[in-house]
C-alpha cells in the first residue's frame, strides 16, 4: 500500500488511540449520495433532507444519526433522529425508491482492531427509526453501494479485514434479502462506482490488497450489466488511482479526479470516461494534487472539487471548479479551513452541503494528526464561495450519508 496512505492511517490511529480504543481510521473516500433539486441560494422546500449515520467521533464509534434539515432556520440545521442498531464506521448508505435508506456493512471500530459486519439495517424517514434487515452474504467494509434502475442495490468489493474482495451481491427491497451476483473481474477496494445513463455501473480504480500484505493500485475499470448480472472489463484509465472521485456529468461522461498511484504520488490529474466508446481520456490538471477530497456536480455541468490531502501530506482548504465548457480547472476562494475524507451532498442546482470529516490538528508532535470535526459549510455556485452554517450535533468522520426524498422531519 502506498507509504503516504500508510503514514496517514497510522497517524490517524495514533491521534485517536487514547479516545477511540486504537480505532483505525480507514482512508476511504466517502461517496455520499447526491440528489438534485431546483433552488436558489437560500433553502427551499424542494431541497432534500440529508441523513448522516454512524462514523467515528473523538471517543468512540457512533450508532447515532442526525438529519440536516434545509428548512430549519435561514441556512438549515442538524437535528437528532433515531440510532442505528449497530455502531458502525466505513459502511454505506443508499436511499431506496421507497424513500427508506439501506445501511450495509462497515466495521465496529476500524480495521485491524474492529469486527467487519455483514449486517444491514433500514432507516425509515417517516418514523425516524432504524430496523434490522437481511444480512449480506459476506462481511465487508470499504465497499461500494449503487442503486440500480430496477430498485435493487449493487454491493461490490471492499475488504474483509484482511484482503480485498471481488464478490458482489444485490439487495432486493421487496424481499429484504441479499443474493449473489457475478463477481468483479478483480478484487478491489477504495474504488469508485458510478451509475451510468444506460443503467450500467462503472467500477474504476481502487487498490487490491492480498492476504500476504502485497498490494497493487489499479488502472483497470469494469462495467456491471444488470441484465446479464455480470461484470466485464472496459477501457484502462490513463493513471492507476486509489481513492479518486468519480462524478457523472450531464453529457453522460464520468469525471475521475485525483487519488494515489503505485509510485506513492498524490495525483493532480483528471480523466474522462466515455460510455459510448468505453475509453478514458485525459481531462487536464487540477490546481493541486488531491486525495480524500470531495467532488460534486453542479446544475450547469461544472464540478466542485475541494479539500483533501496533497502530495506533501498536508490537509487542504483550497477549492476549484471543473468548468465543463472549457474542460479546465479554475481555482476559487478556499474553505474556511482544511478538510479531508469528506463527501458533498447536492442540495440544489447551485448549492452543495459539506459536513463532518477530518481536519489536520493545528499542532502536533507526530507527523500527521487528524481529528473528526462537526463544522459544516454550504457552497454557493452563484458566487463560488463557501459559507459556514450551524454545526452537526457530533463530530463525525468515516460516516455514511444519503439524501432523503423531500423534507423529512
Amino acid at each position: 500500500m502506498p507509504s503516504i496512505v500508510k503514514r496517514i492511517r497510522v497517524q490517524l490511529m495514533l491521534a485517536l488511540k487514547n479516545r477511540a480504543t486504537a480505532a483505525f481510521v480507514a482512508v476511504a473516500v466517502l461517496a455520499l449520495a447526491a440528489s438534485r433539486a431546483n433552488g436558489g441560494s437560500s433553502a427551499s422546500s424542494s431541497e432534500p433532507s440529508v441523513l448522516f449515520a454512524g462514523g467515528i467521533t473523538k471517543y468512540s464509534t457512533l450508532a447515532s444519526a442526525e438529519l440536516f434539515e434545509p428548512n430549519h432556520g435561514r441556512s438549515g440545521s442538524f437535528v437528532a433522529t433515531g440510532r442505528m442498531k449497530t455502531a458502525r464506521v466505513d459502511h454505506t448508505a443508499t436511499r431506496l425508491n421507497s424513500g427508506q435508506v439501506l445501511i450495509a456493512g462497515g466495521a465496529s471500530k476500524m480495521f485491524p482492531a474492529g469486527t467487519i459486519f455483514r449486517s444491514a439495517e433500514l432507516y425509515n424517514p417517516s418514523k425516524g427509526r432504524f430496523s434490522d434487515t437481511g444480512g449480506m452474504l459476506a462481511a465487508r467494509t470499504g465497499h461500494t453501494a449503487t442503486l440500480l434502475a430496477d430498485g435493487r442495490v449493487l454491493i461490490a468489493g471492499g475488504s474483509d479485514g484482511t484482503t480485498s474482495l471481488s464478490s458482489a451481491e444485490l439487495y432486493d427491497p421487496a424481499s429484504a434479502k441479499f443474493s449473489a451476483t457475478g463477481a468483479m473481474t478483480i478484487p478491489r477496494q477504495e474504488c469508485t462506482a458510478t451509475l451510468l445513463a444506460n443503467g450500467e455501473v462503472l467500477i474504476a480504480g481502487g487498490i487490491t490488497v492480498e492476504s500476504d500484505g502485497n498490494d497493487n493500485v489499479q488502472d483497470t475499470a469494469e462495467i456491471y450489466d444488470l441484465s446479464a448480472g455480470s461484470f466485464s472489463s472496459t477501457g484502462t484509465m490513463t493513471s492507476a488511482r486509489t481513492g479518486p472521485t468519480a462524478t457523472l456529468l450531464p453529457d453522460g461522461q464520468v469525471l475521475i479526479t485525483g487519488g494515489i498511484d503505485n509510485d506513492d504520488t498524490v495525483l493532480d490529474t483528471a480523466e474522462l470516461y466515455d460510455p459510448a466508446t468505453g475509453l478514458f481520456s485525459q481531462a487536464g490538471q487540477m490546481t493541486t494534487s488531491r486525495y480524500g477530497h470531495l467532488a460534486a456536480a453542479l446544475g450547469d455541468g461544472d464540478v466542485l472539487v475541494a479539500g483533501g490531502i496533497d502530495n506533501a501530506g498536508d490537509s487542504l482548504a483550497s477549492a476549484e471548479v471543473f468548468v465543463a465548457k472549457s474542460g479546465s480547472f479554475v481555482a476559487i476562494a478556499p474553505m474556511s479551513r482544511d478538510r479531508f475524507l469528506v463527501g458533498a451532498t447536492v442540495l440544489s442546482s447551485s448549492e452543495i452541503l459539506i459536513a463532518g470529516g477530518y481536519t489536520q490538528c493545528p499542532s502536533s508532535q507526530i507527523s500527521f494528526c487528524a481529528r473528526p470535526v462537526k463544522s459544516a459549510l454550504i457552497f454557493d455556485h452563484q458566487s463560488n464561495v463557501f459559507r459556514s452554517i450551524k454545526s452537526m450535533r457530533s463530530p463525525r468522520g468515516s460516516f455514511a450519508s444519503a439524501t432523503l426524498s423531500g423534507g423529512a422531519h
Side-chain angles (χ1 to χ4, degrees):
M1 188 170 293
S3 62
I4 189 170
V5 179
K6 286 183 177 178
R7 184 170 74 251
I8 293 169
R9 285 180 166 178
V10 168
Q11 300 304 342
L12 282 168
M13 181 179 71
L14 290 174
L16 296 166
K17 183 175 182 180
N18 294 328
R19 295 171 176 160
T21 322
F24 183 92
V25 182
V27 180
V29 176
L30 298 176
L32 303 185
S35 175
R36 297 200 178 188
N38 295 323
S41 59
S42 61
S44 71
S45 59
S46 63
E47 292 182 354
S49 300
V50 185
L51 172 70
F52 294 84
I56 191 168
T57 190
K58 294 180 180 179
Y59 304 102
S60 62
T61 302
L62 296 168
S64 66
E66 54 189 289
L67 297 173
F68 175 74
E69 295 285 17
N71 299 314
H72 283 199
R74 186 173 183 274
S75 297
S77 63
F78 293 87
V79 299
T81 189
R83 295 172 62 86
M84 292 191 296
K85 298 293 184 180
T86 301
R88 60 182 86 213
V89 62
D90 269 2
H91 46 297
T92 56
T94 311
R95 183 171 66 86
L96 306 176
N97 288 338
S98 65
Q100 295 189 94
V101 177
L102 173 69
I103 305 290
S108 62
K109 291 181 180 177
M110 279 295 193
F111 172 79
T115 300
I116 310 301
F117 296 126
R118 59 180 291 269
S119 63
E121 44 193 298
L122 290 173
Y123 176 73
N124 186 327
S126 63
K127 297 181 179 180
R129 297 177 184 173
F130 290 86
S131 60
D132 292 326
T133 189
M136 295 190 294
L137 303 180
R140 62 183 83 218
T141 186
H143 51 286
T144 66
T146 310
L147 179 67
L148 303 175
D150 67 356
R152 291 184 292 176
V153 179
L154 173 68
I155 306 288
S159 171
D160 64 6
T162 303
T163 59
S164 300
L165 301 172
S166 62
S167 63
E169 47 194 290
L170 293 170
Y171 177 76
D172 186 347
S175 64
K177 293 181 179 180
F178 291 84
S179 60
T181 190
M184 294 191 292
T185 60
I186 61 169
R188 62 178 89 212
Q189 60 194 83
E190 295 187 16
C191 55
T192 65
T194 309
L195 180 67
L196 304 176
N198 62 7
E200 297 178 336
V201 179
L202 171 68
I203 305 289
I207 189 169
T208 301
V209 180
E210 300 174 358
S211 58
D212 59 5
N214 290 326
D215 54 70
N216 183 45
V217 178
Q218 296 292 334
D219 62 0
T220 61
E222 48 193 295
I223 292 290
Y224 179 74
D225 183 342
L226 176 60
S227 61
S230 61
F231 292 85
S232 59
S233 297
T234 188
T236 301
M237 294 196 296
T238 62
S239 297
R241 304 172 188 267
T242 184
T245 63
T247 309
L248 182 66
L249 303 179
D251 64 3
Q253 296 190 94
V254 180
L255 176 68
I256 310 286
T257 69
I260 297 178
D261 67 13
N262 271 310
D263 294 325
D264 192 19
T265 299
V266 180
L267 302 171
D268 62 2
T269 58
E271 50 191 292
L272 287 169
Y273 176 76
D274 187 348
T277 63
L279 300 175
F280 291 86
S281 60
Q282 293 181 346
Q285 286 185 299
M286 296 185 290
T287 60
T288 187
S289 53
R290 298 182 190 272
Y291 171 77
H293 53 297
L294 64 89
L298 297 157
D300 59 1
D302 293 350
V303 178
L304 170 68
V305 179
I309 298 169
D310 66 13
N311 198 44
D314 294 324
S315 182
L316 301 170
S318 64
E320 53 195 290
V321 169
F322 175 76
V323 181
K325 291 181 180 179
S326 63
S328 60
F329 291 86
V330 176
I332 60 173
M335 297 183 289
S336 55
R337 71 156 305 155
D338 64 289
R339 192 183 295 257
F340 63 96
L341 295 182
V342 59
T345 304
V346 177
L347 296 179
S348 73
S349 60
S350 64
E351 289 193 332
I352 307 293
L353 171 67
I354 299 160
Y358 299 92
T359 188
Q360 197 163 356
C361 302
S363 62
S364 174
Q365 296 178 348
I366 58 179
S367 61
F368 190 93
C369 174
R371 64 184 182 195
V373 297
K374 64 178 182 178
S375 59
L377 307 168
I378 286 182
F379 172 76
D380 185 348
H381 190 34
Q382 294 179 358
S383 58
N384 275 353
V385 297
F386 298 87
R387 70 177 187 271
S388 296
I389 62 172
K390 291 182 179 179
S391 296
M392 304 176 78
R393 296 177 61 85
S394 172
R396 291 180 191 270
S398 303
F399 53 86
S401 173
T403 55
L404 305 178
S405 52
H409 53 77

